[in-house]
Amino acid sequence: MFEEPEWAEEAPVATGLEPVAARPRPAAASQIKGSKHRQLLATLRALEAAALPQQSPSLPGSDSEEEVVERKKKHSKKASFSNVSIEVEKKRKKKCQKQGPPGSDSEEKEVERKKKCLKGVFNASDSAEEEKRKRKHQKQVHSNPAQHLDNDDQTGPKAWKSRDTNDLSQPSAGTTSANPPHILSRKQWRNRQKNKRRHKNKFRPPQPPDQAPATVSTEETEMPPDPSPHSHEDRAGALRARMAQRLDGARFRYLNEQLYSGPSSAAQRLFQEDPEAFLLYHRGFQSQVKKWPLQPVDRIARDLRQRPASLVVADFGCGDCRLASSIRNPVHCFDLASLDPRVTVCDMAQVPLEDESVDVAVFCLSLMGTNIRDFLEEANRVLKPGGLLKVAEVSSRFEGVRTFLGAVTKLGFKVISKDLTNSHFFLFDFEKTGPPRVGPKAQLTGLKLQPCLYKRR
């Protein structure tokens, strides 16, 4: 700061007039002005002096008192750690000398001891570095608390990393050792768990088959079994059975068509020439009837059980004598071939019975062939007057039920009841009124029923 003189001459002002000689200022005015300057300078210096302690050292080369103190502490700690390591080595050497002669220990033990010493020194240095990091972190928190709060509020992978580093710098208070626990990242933890599982499965002892787990992998279940001779034989047997079933079905359809398209005498000759054909036909017929909700023979047997057991029954087309086995009445069984000892093999148009010798005549799904009139006339011959005729036939064979009933009445019968409620068969009850009312040459169109043919499935 430069002080101005107590008085100063004013420079002459250039004008168009002649220069005028400068006049000296009075002494009192100059003294007042100088005192004001001194007061201003004093206030400025006081303000500068007051502002100096509040400003932080901004020069790059200037060191604060705190940093100087920290450096001194670092130097003292390094010296103390080095002294500690030297003392530890001396103690271990003394222990080794006390334990035995110098050549008693192996070289491996000495190397391990040296490694332990070095680990102790490194652990001590690591703990010192952790203390430094902790102090720096505390200083940052005091200097920038807002930034610290922002970091705590963060979420996501960056926040996890920052928290991991903070956890590393802050050892737990409960641990007595100087080494802090190593914290793994998520990826490292997953990899470690995978390795543990692999190692466990690799050295797991083989389990016996009884204690094997119930769950089997999808790859094992999807793999086909090894081919063996038993599997080939089973496949061949199943194929043969399937082919035999198809062949039997084809033969059954052929025999059924022959029975419905020809007279009963031709059917009798067919079964006499091939006795196994009747067995095959009967087996196929039973497999078809088993699918029905109610079998007609069971319905007829239920009706006859409500009548006196002394009534004599004639079963035309008895098959396996199921009706005779279901009732207590005496039963005459007639069919084209024998499947039971009680069966009388004959043509149902000519049965070996006397006239008016039976009380009930039954045709259960047996009005087959083209000579149905002959069957009904033979039933009229063997029935007593007022005898009962029961007919059960497949419902699809009737084109008109009324025409059929009219044709039967012309052969000496009267309709008592009819049941058309069943979906598979119709059931009719007739009473004998006398001999047929028409001659043998009269045509009865109502007795021509449709053949019951089975389609291939």
Side-chain angles (χ1 to χ4, degrees):
M1 303 294 291
F2 297 99
E3 297 180 2
E4 291 184 2
E6 296 180 359
W7 58 273
E9 294 181 357
E10 292 183 0
V13 181
T15 59
L17 302 174
E18 293 179 357
V20 180
R23 291 179 291 179
R25 292 182 181 177
S30 62
Q31 287 177 1
I32 292 167
K33 196 172 184 179
S35 63
K36 287 182 179 180
H37 281 289
R38 290 191 195 97
Q39 288 177 1
L40 289 171
L41 289 172
T43 55
L44 288 171
R45 286 173 183 170
L47 290 171
E48 287 178 358
L52 280 173
Q54 295 178 359
Q55 293 179 355
S56 61
S58 58
L59 294 175
S62 62
D63 296 332
S64 63
E65 293 179 358
E66 292 180 358
E67 291 182 355
V68 173
V69 172
E70 285 182 359
R71 287 177 185 174
K72 287 180 180 179
K73 285 181 180 178
K74 289 178 183 178
H75 288 299
S76 62
K77 284 180 181 177
K78 286 182 181 178
S80 63
F81 287 130
S82 62
N83 294 330
V84 169
S85 61
I86 291 165
E87 288 177 1
V88 170
E89 288 179 359
K90 286 181 180 179
K91 287 180 181 179
R92 285 179 181 168
K93 284 180 182 179
K94 287 179 182 180
K95 285 182 182 179
C96 294
Q97 290 176 2
K98 287 178 181 179
Q99 286 176 1
S104 62
D105 293 337
S106 62
E107 294 179 357
E108 294 179 357
K109 291 182 178 180
E110 290 179 359
V111 172
E112 289 177 359
R113 287 169 186 169
K114 289 179 180 179
K115 287 181 179 179
K116 288 179 180 178
C117 294
L118 292 172
K119 283 182 181 178
V121 174
F122 286 128
N123 291 336
S125 61
D126 291 338
S127 62
E129 289 178 358
E130 288 167 1
E131 288 180 0
K132 292 174 190 175
R133 290 174 186 171
K134 188 175 179 181
R135 288 179 182 176
K136 286 182 180 179
H137 181 67
Q138 289 177 356
K139 287 179 183 179
Q140 290 175 0
V141 170
H142 289 298
S143 61
N144 297 321
Q147 185 178 359
H148 182 67
L149 289 172
D150 294 337
N151 292 332
D152 290 340
D153 294 336
Q154 287 179 357
T155 56
K158 293 182 179 180
W160 279 101
K161 289 180 181 179
S162 63
R163 287 173 187 171
D164 291 340
T165 54
N166 292 335
D167 292 337
L168 283 170
S169 63
Q170 295 177 1
S172 61
T175 55
T176 56
S177 63
N179 293 328
H182 183 63
I183 296 174
L184 300 174
S185 64
R186 289 184 175 179
K187 190 173 182 180
Q188 290 174 348
W189 184 82
R190 288 196 203 101
N191 293 335
R192 182 171 288 184
Q193 294 297 324
K194 284 181 184 178
N195 293 332
K196 283 182 181 179
R197 285 195 295 270
R198 287 174 186 167
H199 186 75
K200 186 177 180 181
N201 295 330
K202 184 177 180 181
F203 296 100
R204 179 180 291 176
Q207 294 181 353
D210 297 337
Q211 299 178 359
T215 58
V216 183
S217 61
T218 55
E219 296 179 358
E220 293 179 359
T221 55
E222 291 176 0
M223 290 293 291
D226 296 332
S228 60
H230 296 289
S231 63
H232 288 302
E233 290 177 1
D234 295 340
R235 289 179 182 176
L239 181 61
R240 282 195 297 271
R242 191 160 56 251
M243 295 300 293
Q245 187 178 5
R246 289 182 179 178
L247 182 61
D248 291 345
R251 292 186 66 187
F252 167 74
R253 288 191 295 273
Y254 171 75
L255 292 172
N256 187 70
E257 187 176 356
Q258 293 297 319
L259 292 175
Y260 279 101
S261 60
S264 58
S265 57
Q268 186 180 8
R269 285 195 303 270
L270 175 65
F271 291 133
Q272 285 177 354
E273 294 174 358
D274 188 5
E276 293 182 358
F278 184 78
L279 179 63
L280 188 147
Y281 173 79
H282 182 72
R283 188 166 58 243
F285 175 77
Q286 289 296 327
S287 66
Q288 295 292 329
V289 175
K290 281 180 181 178
K291 301 175 184 177
W292 294 7
L294 176 65
Q295 293 193 26
V297 66
D298 296 335
R299 172 67 186 279
I300 293 171
R302 187 180 68 186
D303 292 345
L304 292 177
R305 280 195 292 267
Q306 296 175 358
R307 296 176 180 271
S310 59
L311 297 178
V312 180
V313 180
D315 189 3
F316 292 78
C318 63
D320 57 353
C321 299
R322 184 170 178 174
L323 180 63
S325 302
S326 302
I327 59 178
R328 295 175 295 173
N329 304 69
V331 181
H332 298 283
C333 301
F334 305 105
D335 212 329
L336 299 173
S338 176
L339 293 175
D340 191 274
R342 293 173 286 184
V343 177
T344 301
V345 178
C346 64
D347 184 0
M348 289 185 295
Q350 298 174 356
V351 295
L353 287 176
E354 296 179 359
D355 296 344
E356 300 180 355
S357 60
V358 299
D359 299 301
V360 181
V362 177
F363 287 89
C364 183
L365 304 179
S366 57
L367 291 177
M368 306 172 72
T370 56
N371 56 337
I372 295 175
R373 180 176 179 174
D374 297 339
F375 301 156
L376 295 176
E377 287 178 350
E378 185 69 6
N380 185 285
R381 182 185 71 82
V382 299
L383 275 173
K384 295 177 182 180
L388 181 64
L389 173 64
K390 296 182 78 67
V391 177
E393 199 54 61
V394 180
S395 58
S396 61
R397 297 189 65 190
F398 295 95
E399 289 184 353
V401 176
R402 185 173 296 179
T403 56
F404 174 74
L405 297 177
V408 173
T409 55
K410 291 179 182 180
L411 295 176
F413 294 99
K414 180 177 70 172
V415 179
I416 299 175
S417 65
K418 58 181 178 180
D419 185 4
L420 309 179
T421 59
N422 197 282
S423 59
H424 290 76
F425 62 91
F426 292 159
L427 184 62
F428 306 99
D429 288 346
F430 301 94
E431 183 182 353
K432 180 181 176 181
T433 57
R437 292 178 294 175
V438 293
K441 294 184 179 180
Q443 294 184 356
L444 300 174
T445 56
L447 296 178
K448 292 181 180 180
L449 302 180
Q450 296 294 324
C452 183
L453 302 178
Y454 296 95
K455 295 180 181 181
R456 180 181 177 181
R457 290 180 173 82

